[in-house]
């Protein structure tokens, strides 16, 4: 449980079923690393809300400190990616490495649990089982409320962990969740939805946060069309492809189109629809199929696998052809796509079925 309305309603739904139920709150970020004190930090409020809800529902709860695992498995790799100029997605890797990784391992080793635990979360996602070669295997599916679809963030979760996952909100719309919370008089019914990277929070700007860990590295901002310097940046990690460059003194707004990391140069173009912002294909490395031993056979065929792809959470999936290219996956879009950054996570779907994900390493 996170302390939000989604996990609170999830807990209430499960109390109505025949489960041996207990709640766990993950503490992932240690604010002492930044301020030297825990006083006034947001995890305390979240933990208090979890305890209040569990008190109403009469279920036991405990806190598990996974801040060390989060630091080493998620934050440090993300920090290295930002420093090298690429755009990682920590929330995707958090689900794989921490929630469905370190936490599930910790619960499995818990001597107080007599059976292998199942992990229910407040994610908007569905799961079913499909027979493959005579064996039932779990499939990660989109939820009923496609506007809140969180399968993108779950796309790196391995089959072993997915098989032990439960998603009670998969068949419920977000508006209905809020209505149920009010109907059941849950303490978190009026709590607002949280947004943004979990360790940055909602009250700080990314630049202010990241500057605590990466020293400034000033460099030029250059107009791709003219080759002229139009501004200066404090570090390439402060920009991602397609982002407004906010260069003062120009007649037209400019947008980041390319980053030359060895030379520490940010290139920009005028306007939001410049041709240089578009790409027709991309290459993905470190691809992970949720069914790791059973990639689609269509990958090796001349026409490739006809699928849908997302390379950002907040976007509609788009048509593409998927090919196996040595140790990489190559994607050809049905139509050119705008603002794709190296390091972003790309996820592939066949209809509602999420097959897996990988990291974008080349755009063309």
């Amino acid at each position: 449980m996170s302390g939000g309305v989604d996990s609170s309603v999830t807990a209430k739904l499960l109390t109505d079923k025949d489960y041996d139920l207990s709640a766990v709150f993950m503490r992932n970020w240690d604010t002492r690393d930044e301020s030297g004190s825990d006083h006034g930090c947001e995890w305390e409020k979240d933990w208090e809300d979890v305890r209040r809800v569990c008190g109403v529902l009469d279920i036991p709860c405990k806190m598990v400190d996974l801040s060390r695992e989060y630091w080493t498995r998620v934050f440090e790799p993300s920090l290295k990616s930002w420093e090298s100029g690429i755009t990682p997605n920590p929330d995707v890797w958090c689900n794989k490495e921490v929630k469905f990784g370190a936490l599930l391992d910790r619960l499995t080793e818990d001597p107080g649990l007599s059976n292998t635990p199942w992990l229910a979360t407040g994610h908007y996602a569905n799961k079913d089982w499909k027979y493959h070669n005579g064996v039932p295997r779990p499939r990660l599916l989109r939820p009923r409320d496609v506007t809140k679809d969180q399968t993108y963030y779950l796309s790196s979760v391995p089959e072993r962990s997915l098989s032990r996952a439960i998603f009670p909100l998969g068949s419920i719309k977000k508006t209905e969740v809020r209505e149920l919370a009010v109907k059941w008089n849950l303490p978190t019914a009026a709590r607002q939805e949280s947004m943004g990277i979990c360790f940055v929070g909602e009250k700080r700007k990314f630049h202010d946060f990241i500057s605590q860990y990466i020293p400034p590295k000033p460099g030029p901002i250059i107009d791709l069309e003219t080759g002229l310097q139009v501004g200066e940046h404090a570090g390439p990690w402060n920009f991602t492809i397609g982002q407004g460059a906010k260069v003062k003194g120009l007649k037209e707004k400019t947008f980041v189109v390319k980053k030359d990391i060895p030379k520490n140069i940010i290139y920009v173009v005028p306007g939001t629809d410049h041709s240089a912002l578009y790409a027709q294909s991309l290459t993905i490395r470190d691809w992970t199929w949720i069914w790791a031993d059973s990639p689609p056979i269509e990958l090796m065929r001349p026409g490739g696998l006809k699928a849908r792809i997302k390379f950002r959470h907040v976007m509609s999936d788009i048509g593409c052809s998927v090919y196996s290219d040595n140790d990489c996956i190559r994607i050809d879009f049905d139509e050119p796509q705008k603002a794709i950054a190296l390091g972003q996570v790309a996820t592939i779907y066949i209809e509602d079925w999420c097959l897996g994900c990988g990291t974008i390493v080349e755009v063309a």
Side-chain angles (χ1 to χ4, degrees):
M1 294 182 67
S2 65
V5 65
D6 293 331
S7 64
S8 299
V9 170
T10 295
K12 176 62 173 71
L13 290 169
L14 294 173
T15 61
D16 297 333
K17 299 182 180 295
D18 187 23
Y19 289 117
D20 180 9
L21 190 64
S22 61
V24 61
F25 171 78
M26 294 193 309
R27 181 186 175 193
N28 288 345
W29 187 251
D30 192 340
T31 50
R32 288 171 295 189
D33 293 325
E34 301 175 65
S35 63
S37 170
D38 268 344
H39 181 68
C41 61
E42 292 200 11
W43 75 262
E44 291 180 322
K45 172 68 166 61
D46 295 337
W47 174 225
E48 175 60 26
D49 284 343
V50 168
R51 286 184 290 181
R52 290 169 61 210
V53 172
C54 290
V56 169
L57 300 179
D58 192 28
I59 58 176
C61 63
K62 67 176 180 179
M63 178 172 64
V64 176
D65 189 343
L66 296 170
S67 55
R68 178 175 297 180
E69 289 86 348
Y70 189 91
W71 180 278
T72 58
R73 300 189 194 183
V74 179
F75 182 65
E76 280 191 334
S78 297
L79 204 59
K80 291 177 181 177
S81 294
W82 280 311
E83 195 166 13
S84 67
I86 65 176
T87 305
N89 193 315
D91 293 338
V92 172
W93 306 123
C94 177
N95 280 315
K96 176 185 179 182
E97 297 293 340
V98 183
K99 184 171 291 183
F100 289 93
L103 176 62
L104 203 49
D105 291 342
R106 188 82 65 89
L107 296 176
T108 301
E109 297 165 359
D110 190 337
L113 299 176
S114 57
N115 298 310
T116 300
W118 291 72
L119 186 61
T121 74
H123 285 102
Y124 286 86
N126 267 318
K127 188 186 87 172
D128 72 359
W129 295 85
K130 181 178 181 179
Y131 274 89
H132 180 74
N133 294 331
V135 178
R137 306 183 73 166
R139 297 194 304 169
L140 178 62
L141 304 173
R142 299 182 200 270
R144 174 185 166 213
D145 191 343
V146 294
T147 65
K148 304 302 295 184
D149 179 10
Q150 292 178 303
T151 54
Y152 176 85
Y153 292 123
L154 295 165
S155 59
S156 65
V157 174
E159 181 180 6
R160 175 183 64 87
S161 300
L162 181 62
S163 65
R164 293 158 65 183
I166 302 174
F167 304 118
L169 302 187
S171 60
I172 305 176
K173 286 183 172 279
K174 177 69 175 187
T175 54
E176 296 169 347
V177 167
R178 186 73 66 178
E179 291 168 359
L180 288 173
V182 172
K183 174 185 175 182
W184 292 329
N185 198 29
L186 296 177
T188 54
R191 180 163 171 168
Q192 296 300 307
E193 186 175 13
S194 62
M195 304 291 287
I197 300 174
C198 57
F199 50 76
V200 177
E202 302 178 68
K203 299 178 181 178
R204 291 186 291 179
K205 293 182 179 179
F206 177 80
H207 169 76
D208 296 334
F209 171 81
I210 206 69
S211 63
Q212 299 176 79
Y213 298 93
I214 305 176
K217 189 178 180 182
I221 299 177
I222 294 180
D223 186 317
L224 185 69
E225 291 185 336
T226 65
L228 299 176
Q229 180 172 343
V230 295
E232 185 177 83
H233 65 84
W237 47 85
N238 293 305
F239 297 90
T240 190
I241 304 302
Q243 177 183 345
K246 297 181 180 179
V247 179
K248 296 180 180 179
L250 299 180
K251 295 181 180 180
E252 188 175 0
K253 290 183 178 180
T254 58
F255 295 83
V256 178
V257 68
K258 185 173 69 170
K259 295 192 277 188
D260 186 331
I261 301 306
K263 296 181 180 179
N264 197 31
I265 298 173
I266 297 291
Y267 289 94
V268 298
V269 291
T272 61
D273 207 38
H274 195 283
S275 60
L277 288 168
Y278 287 83
Q280 186 62 58
S281 65
L282 53 82
T283 301
I284 304 172
R285 191 167 290 157
D286 300 326
W287 182 269
T288 301
W289 300 102
I290 294 179
W291 289 5
D293 61 348
S294 302
I297 59 175
E298 293 88 346
L299 292 171
M300 307 305 296
R301 293 175 180 171
L305 171 69
K306 302 303 180 183
R308 312 284 294 180
I309 186 172
K310 291 179 73 170
F311 48 85
R312 285 188 298 271
H313 169 59
V314 187
M315 69 173 288
S316 299
D317 57 86
I318 49 147
C320 66
S321 297
V322 187
Y323 304 87
S324 178
D325 188 0
N326 295 321
D327 59 343
C328 297
I329 294 290
R330 191 181 88 249
I331 304 290
D332 289 345
F333 300 124
D334 291 353
E335 298 179 0
Q337 296 300 308
K338 187 170 70 171
I340 306 174
L342 302 186
Q344 285 179 306
V345 171
T347 301
I348 290 175
Y349 298 83
I350 295 180
E351 296 181 348
D352 288 337
W353 183 11
C354 178
L355 301 184
C357 70
T359 301
I360 299 172
V361 296
E362 185 178 337
V363 178

